[in-house]
Amino acid sequence: MKFIAITLIVHRPDPVTGVKKPTHERFREVLDYALLAEELGFDGFGVGERHERPFISSSPTVVLSHVAALTKRIRLFTAVTTLSLLDPVRAYEDYATLDHLSEGRLDLIIGKGNGAAQRDLFHVTPEDQWDRNAESYEVFRRIWRQDKVTAATRFRPPLTDAEVWPRPYQQPVRVWHGSATSKESVDLAARYGDPLFSANVTNSIEPYAELIRHYRERWEHYGHDPADIAIGAGTAGIHVAPTSQQALAAYRPVFEANLAFYRQAGLPVVFETLEDFVERSSALIGSPQQVIDKVHRYHEEFGHTAVHVQADASGLTDTQHRDSLELFQSAVTPVLRKDIPDPPFAWAPVLSASPTAQERVHV
């Protein structure tokens, strides 16, 4: 099993202290978390993309380029690249450049993105967002694989024998499809034989397990080998401590502050108590053995081989968060790496492939 630390670069007051860090300090913190993730042995570090408050992750390629310069081993993820909002040509140029600068350490997780404010900013509607996402991905995918592309696109000017530079380092880049609630993204992933990353952060296990079952069904429908399936899953929070009592005591102020924020903002509350949150959500809060048991329980439903956890302290003190991640890496991940297989591909740059007949067909 592989382990990824991610940040959406939320920029709001600390849920416990109420202190809001300056923007430049928040970005520096992200870089520190990336270095910590590599130091502790995480397999990947991810940066989200959002174009509305309270996020400042509107330029993940810029942030990841800086992370690439500071690190040597860890793979770099987007979480997620919102292709429904982006011109696929421009997105390709940015990510192909990052691919070179990182020497092929890039993985993409793509998705349509959430939030009415960012849809309005880019003039994307609920009615066309899925079509935009599919078209952008199809064009992006072909540009990565083909030297010249012709595409009769709907949402950007058509392409005729278009050449886009630079040509990429990886052939091709690995693209995961982020899925929260919709079958559209699951079907797109299955159609192209791409891995799936379940958000798995808001609700209990059932709706995510249902989508993953649908993904497996569609994967076989499109004629792919079930042995090639790769699934990742998110987690709703993390705090690992020597005992469950210590973990609950440390995380309770974080949970209660977040609960108050959700109620004040009029957001839906799924888990009313910390105990319910720990029991029924994907959050990894407890002793090492409790966390191991929970990941196993989710693996029985999902069959996933990659997990992402929060890179940010998110209300914990810096010491609490670092101690938690250190314990996670020393006492939890070695067991899970032994018990659960890795994804069915090398965790390394992808340096050879040839386009299929389907990929040579014009959009």
Side-chain angles (χ1 to χ4, degrees), residues 38-87:
E38 178 159 272
E39 174 191 335
L40 295 180
F42 279 88
D43 302 293
F45 182 80
V47 172
E49 179 183 340
R50 301 292 189 277
H51 299 271
E52 58 187 337
R53 69 170 127 186
F55 307 98
I56 52 173
S57 51
S58 57
S59 299
T61 50
V62 176
V63 178
L64 287 171
S65 291
H66 200 150
V67 172
L70 296 174
T71 58
K72 299 183 183 303
R73 174 196 57 80
I74 200 165
R75 288 196 67 79
L76 309 176
F77 282 74
T78 61
V80 299
T81 297
T82 53
L83 277 182
S84 66
L85 311 179
L86 305 178
D87 182 321

Side-chain angles (χ1 to χ4, degrees), residues 254-264 269-273:
V254 177
F255 176 83
E256 292 178 350
N258 284 329
L259 183 63
F261 173 80
Y262 296 150
R263 286 175 171 160
Q264 184 177 8
V269 174
V270 178
F271 306 102
E272 295 280 354
T273 67

Side-chain angles (χ1 to χ4, degrees), residues 330-349:
S330 65
V332 175
T333 65
V335 176
L336 295 174
R337 290 186 194 278
K338 180 181 177 182
D339 292 349
I340 298 174
D342 285 342
F345 42 71
W347 202 257

Side-chain angles (χ1 to χ4, degrees), residues 175-179 185-186 189 194-198 211-212 215 230-233:
V175 177
W176 306 65
H177 294 247
S179 167
S185 55
V186 166
D194 293 331
L196 182 74
F197 222 110
S198 172
L211 278 176
I212 289 171
Y215 170 67
I231 296 168

Side-chain angles (χ1 to χ4, degrees), residues 235-240 251 283-285 309-310 316 321 324-325 328:
T235 53
I238 184 170
H239 185 62
V240 189
Y251 203 83
L284 304 180
I285 300 168
V309 301
Q310 291 179 5
L316 297 167
H321 187 52
S324 168
L325 293 182
F328 180 71

Side-chain angles (χ1 to χ4, degrees), residues 213-284:
R213 287 192 293 270
H214 181 70
Y215 170 67
R216 292 180 181 278
E217 291 167 2
R218 299 305 292 171
W219 180 278
E220 294 195 41
H221 168 81
Y222 288 115
H224 304 302
D225 186 344
D228 293 334
I229 284 178
I231 296 168
T235 53
I238 184 170
H239 185 62
V240 189
T243 68
S244 60
Q245 293 83 0
Q246 290 171 302
L248 288 172
Y251 203 83
R252 191 173 299 279
V254 177
F255 176 83
E256 292 178 350
N258 284 329
L259 183 63
F261 173 80
Y262 296 150
R263 286 175 171 160
Q264 184 177 8
L267 299 172
V269 174
V270 178
F271 306 102
E272 295 280 354
T273 67
L274 174 60
E275 287 71 18
D276 189 37
F277 180 65
V278 171
E279 174 62 27
R280 293 197 304 118
S281 84
S282 61
L284 304 180

